[in-house]
Amino acid sequence: MKLLSVEAARTAMVAEASALPAQTIPLQTANGRVLAQDVAADRAQPPFTNSAMDGWAVRAADTPGALAIVGESAAGHGYEGALAPGQAIRIFTGAALPDGADSVVIQENAARDADEVTVPAAAPGDNIRDAGKDFRAGDVLLTKGTRIDPWRLSLAASAGCAEVSVHAKPRIAILSTGEEIVEAPAVPGPFQIYDSGSPALKVMCEAWGAEATKLSGVRDQLDAVIAAMRGAEADLIVTVGGASVGDHDLVRTAAEALGIRYRVESVAIRPGKPTFFGVLADGRRLLGLPGNPASAFVCAELFLKPLIAAYCGAAHAPRMATARLAAPLAANGPREHWMRAKLTYKEGGITAQPYRDQDSSLVSVFAAADALLRRPPSASASAAGDLVEVLLLDRAG
Ligand SMILES: Nc1nc2c(c(=O)[nH]1)N[C@H]1C(S)=C(S)[C@@H](COP(=O)(O)OP(=O)(O)OC[C@H]3O[C@@H](n4cnc5c(N)ncnc54)[C@H](O)[C@@H]3O)O[C@H]1N2
Ligand code: MOO
């Protein structure tokens, strides 16, 4: 079987996933979605010059001095008319600066006496927010391909967007295979284990922007695997297990029965070497993940996440950081090794401690890890303190 590098495998997969059609949805429901069109401002923000503080709108040239109070400008209303020399207007945060005024004196620094206010020296522009300070009419605020998050959603909301155009979510069907796999509350037999792969993959897919369904797990019978794959209504089928070379590993045979054209046969990665990807005769894509949970999750992070991003029309940039090794590491073999690691944030940088046991069956290790430490193929031994690359996992905190 042809072995591709991680980078080559990812490129080959992503080349087969193009952005899905656009749909218009309410902005409030767009968190996590990817824009299919730019969001532009049809109005400046703020639309008028306004006060940053509660106080007095004045002409700086009149200060210091005692000024005649001639009116009020409150948020949402404004002041009709203009400020003449020697005058002041009571003003509140967010209220429009009256014509003629060029400065705001905060109320703590002013003394009011009936219809007069005495203010200290002020400079033009003090405590004032100019119209268009945040953005101007016509500015492109968010570009096509940007994933909406709460802060970008706020920006679109501040430009008056009620709806946005986003790419449809890819539909992903997750199929776990294997005689030994059961899902709670089913009771496992003496030689069975609980499915820990597909429940996690479903929520990963959802968090990364897909609509995911879990097909009922199938036993190691070719017909059943083929039937499950054939019936999956999805852009992408993700299988878990049965990807390797054992007598009971039927996923490739089933995919071949459905006419798969391989784009990736296996990957020079540890864990996750049996990972494969291809296009079925009917156009659906299939990503075969290995059954060992850590292998499946590492490959989900490295391949499934970018695939979903591509379907959503977003560029994918893994969240990489540089860390110092907490302990020495032996030389690496020929496969790129992604080690589960724990990070410590200390003054002066991040330290990464890879877990001692990197066995790909260990779910407890993955649940504790917050990063994947990348060891390039054939890397030489590293000492404690050496710099390494880490991929930051989206942990719950
Ligand atoms: N002779 C060889 N044997 C193996 C090779 C190889 O190259 N030559 N590759 C090894 C590697 S690497 C991996 S990874 C595994 C992956 O194999 P499969 O994808 O075929 O997975 P299975 O054999 O079905 O299962 C492996 C392991 O994972 C457990 N499993 C499966 N599905 C789940 C699930 N949904 N939840 C929890 N655990 C699951 C399963 O019980 C096995 O223990 O193959 C090596 N063998
Ligand atoms: O690469 Mo397998 O994924 O070693 O466990």
Side-chain angles (χ1 to χ4, degrees):
M1 262 189 303
K2 195 170 157 202
L3 207 57
L4 290 188
S5 71
V6 170
E7 200 47 53
R10 180 162 41 220
T11 304
M13 291 184 199
V14 167
E16 296 294 349
S18 37
L20 293 169
Q23 51 185 213
T24 299
I25 60 166
L27 175 67
Q28 192 64 71
T29 64
N31 193 38
R33 306 296 295 272
V34 178
L35 290 173
Q37 276 174 15
D38 292 350
V39 170
D42 54 12
R43 179 179 200 235
Q45 171 60 24
F48 46 84
T49 298
N50 66 87
S51 177
M53 301 295 243
D54 297 322
W56 300 94
V58 300
R59 306 162 73 100
D62 293 346
T63 67
L67 305 171
I69 301 169
V70 294
E72 179 178 294
S73 179
H77 300 282
Y79 175 75
E80 304 262 328
L83 197 67
Q87 295 182 336
I89 283 176
R90 182 77 171 115
I91 195 164
F92 300 97
T93 306
L97 190 73
D99 288 345
D102 61 5
S103 183
V104 168
V105 175
I106 64 170
Q107 63 193 51
E108 294 88 327
N109 294 344
R112 179 181 189 158
D113 182 10
D115 293 339
E116 218 175 62
V117 60
T118 302
V119 296
D126 280 358
N127 302 310
I128 282 172
R129 296 185 177 128
D130 287 333
K133 178 183 168 81
D134 210 352
F135 51 81
R136 287 161 306 166
D139 282 357
V140 173
L141 304 178
L142 298 167
T143 50
K144 177 175 160 32
T146 300
R147 195 180 288 279
I148 298 287
D149 64 14
W151 304 276
R152 293 172 182 151
L153 189 143
S154 163
L155 181 57
S158 74
C161 281
E163 294 179 326
V164 278
S165 171
V166 297
H167 291 284
K169 293 182 176 193
R171 293 161 310 148
I172 297 184
I174 300 162
L175 176 65
S176 111
T177 66
E179 297 281 324
E180 77 283 29
I181 306 301
V182 295
E183 189 174 355
V187 180
F191 302 109
Q192 290 186 307
I193 60 169
Y194 290 116
D195 185 351
S196 57
S198 52
L201 288 163
K202 175 169 162 47
V203 292
M204 282 177 195
C205 287
E206 288 165 350
W208 296 336
E211 246 165 42
T213 45
K214 252 180 347 166
L215 305 177
S216 8
V218 285
R219 312 189 68 127
D220 292 331
Q221 283 160 0
L222 188 57
D223 288 352
V225 180
I226 294 174
M229 283 183 184
R230 184 174 281 129
E233 285 180 23
D235 301 296
L236 173 68
I237 301 170
V238 175
T239 58
V240 192
S244 188
V245 293
D247 294 348
H248 304 282
D249 292 336
L250 303 171
V251 171
R252 285 174 196 259
T253 315
E256 283 156 20
L258 296 178
I260 193 169
R261 278 168 290 130
Y262 288 106
R263 294 290 181 263
V264 176
E265 291 182 24
S266 63
V267 187
I269 185 173
R270 184 170 155 216
K273 183 180 166 201
T275 298
F276 70 95
F277 177 86
V279 182
L280 300 182
D282 61 14
R284 290 174 302 162
R285 276 55 171 157
L286 189 143
L287 172 65
L289 293 176
N292 279 314
S295 315
F297 301 159
V298 164
C299 291
E301 196 68 40
L302 296 177
F303 304 119
L304 182 53
K305 197 175 186 181
L307 271 170
I308 294 174
Y311 278 119
C312 293
H316 174 73
R319 288 204 306 147
M320 301 299 296
T322 303
R324 289 198 182 278
L325 264 181
L329 278 179
N332 189 24
R335 291 192 266 160
E336 186 168 302
H337 193 179
W338 289 82
M339 308 179 80
R340 276 71 72 209
K342 187 82 194 160
L343 303 181
T344 313
Y345 293 84
K346 292 190 179 142
E347 252 176 82
I350 311 174
T351 305
Q353 170 81 66
Y355 287 91
R356 201 173 37 80
D357 194 343
Q358 293 284 328
D359 187 294
S360 59
S361 68
L362 300 177
V363 181
S364 54
V365 169
F366 226 119
D370 48 19
L372 298 175
L373 188 161
R374 176 179 175 267
R375 298 276 288 152
S378 309
S380 47
S382 301
D386 281 359
L387 290 176
V388 286
E389 273 184 281
V390 291
L391 186 157
L392 307 175
L393 297 170
D394 299 323
R395 295 310 309 264

